[in-house]
Amino acid sequence: MTTLADRDWRLIPEQEYSGPMQMALDEVAAETAAAGGPRTVRVYRWTPSTLSAGYRQSLDSIDWEYCENEGVTVTRRQTGGGGIYHDHDGDISYSIIAPAEELPGDLMDSYELLCEPLLDAFQHMGVDASFAENEHDAIYQPACYLRAINPAHDILAGGQKISGNAQYRQRDAVIQHGSLSYAVQPQRHLAVFDGVDVDAEQFRERVTSIREQTAISREAAVEYLEDALGEWADADVGQWTDDELVRAREIAEQKYDSSAWNRERADPLA
């Protein structure tokens, strides 16, 4: 249990929303936490499968035609790094949102604290995972899972990346969100990028998954993650308020589903 556990936390169990809505819900949770409401830990699933592009990612690196033909949503994250293909069945995502004043000011310390429940979850799953001990060179820069491995926030199992995590500040709150690889989908993961020079075999050498490390189901992996987040924060199971959902739908439509944000990196709500 974290030292933050004496605050008011809610755990929102896994929910399915579109990519724009998932990004908007993070913003709404930040607004709620900064205004004195509960801090949030949550697990979520991308429906449909989504490519979340890094904040500064070049549009030229995305195969827009493939994404459109395959029904893959594209939305830009607030956090940097490369794009992540969030497969509906192969990805498990989470967010932790709390007031910035309650978290360490040092980025490394903040990552270490907020990744504690992830490492606990992997342990209970039977996955021997830990922060990367050393940096690894990038093999394909536009893709998050193939970029240079950073010991600060990349989690490996057997020397292969199994989770990527990132942070940003919004409304005086810190949002950490991340992706856990449940099942590797190398062909689809690579296909959302344009001009990729990495094949599926190279991808598998760099990336592993929960399913490859242990035989548990996706449902069991989600339950382990929810339990670890809830215990870490001593959180009560909660839900979004009606006002939060209305606000999130507005942000999703006006920002994360807009060409201005996704193609030009211009925030219509700024």
Side-chain angles (χ1 to χ4, degrees):
M1 188 180 296
T2 176
T3 56
L4 296 175
D6 58 347
R7 275 72 168 187
D8 181 17
W9 287 85
R10 62 179 172 182
L11 165 68
I12 299 181
E14 186 182 56
Q15 295 178 328
E16 298 187 30
Y17 284 111
S18 68
M21 187 66 172
Q22 298 292 15
M23 294 294 90
L25 286 168
D26 276 354
E27 285 207 31
V28 167
E31 292 177 354
T32 296
R39 298 110 186 104
T40 299
V41 289
R42 72 186 188 101
V43 179
Y44 49 100
R45 190 174 195 172
W46 307 75
T47 305
S49 299
T50 298
L51 168 63
S52 69
Y55 178 70
R56 299 188 181 280
Q57 185 171 349
S58 169
L59 297 179
D60 295 339
S61 67
I62 299 172
D63 190 331
W64 294 91
E65 183 177 359
Y66 174 87
C67 291
E68 182 176 354
N69 289 342
E70 294 297 317
V72 176
T73 300
V74 179
T75 191
R76 190 179 292 276
R77 301 191 309 272
Q78 290 276 12
T79 47
I84 305 176
Y85 170 65
H86 303 279
D87 188 79
H88 176 264
D89 298 314
D91 178 278
I92 301 171
S93 290
Y94 79 94
S95 296
I96 301 173
I97 300 103
E101 63 185 15
E102 297 178 358
L103 297 173
D106 180 79
L107 187 60
M108 293 284 286
D109 290 342
S110 184
Y111 272 123
E112 184 175 355
L113 174 64
L114 298 184
C115 284
E116 283 180 5
L118 302 187
L119 296 174
D120 288 342
F122 280 128
Q123 181 180 8
H124 289 298
M125 292 178 202
V127 177
D128 184 12
S130 62
F131 283 116
E133 294 183 0
N134 302 297
E135 293 186 5
H136 298 251
D137 293 337
I139 62 174
Y140 181 67
Q141 192 69 12
C144 176
Y145 272 73
L146 303 178
R147 288 168 66 91
I149 298 294
N150 190 320
H153 49 73
D154 287 328
I155 296 176
L156 309 185
Q160 296 169 286
K161 186 167 179 176
I162 196 169
S163 175
N165 309 278
Q167 289 184 21
Y168 71 100
R169 295 195 174 206
Q170 182 85 25
R171 309 280 194 269
D172 297 321
V174 168
I175 298 170
Q176 176 166 306
H177 54 198
S179 166
L180 285 67
S181 173
Y182 172 71
V184 176
Q185 304 281 352
Q187 287 84 3
R188 289 182 65 81
H189 203 129
L190 294 171
V192 299
F193 299 102
D194 190 40
V196 62
D197 56 0
V198 175
D199 60 27
E201 183 177 351
Q202 291 172 297
F203 185 94
R204 286 185 176 277
E205 290 174 354
R206 184 61 171 261
V207 182
T208 188
S209 67
I210 295 167
R211 192 167 68 179
E212 290 181 357
Q213 297 292 318
T214 183
I216 65 173
S217 66
R218 187 185 183 281
E219 290 73 19
V222 167
E223 185 174 348
Y224 281 123
L225 179 58
E226 290 173 349
D227 288 348
L229 287 166
E231 182 177 350
W232 176 83
D234 193 21
D236 296 321
V237 175
Q239 60 185 353
W240 304 107
T241 67
D242 291 341
D243 288 344
E244 285 178 317
L245 288 173
V246 169
R247 171 71 172 149
R249 292 187 182 103
E250 292 174 350
I251 295 173
E253 179 180 356
Q254 296 175 29
K255 178 177 178 178
Y256 290 103
D257 202 26
S258 72
S259 293
W261 174 253
N262 292 321
R263 293 181 179 266
E264 302 170 24
R265 210 171 70 232
D267 186 350
L269 301 179

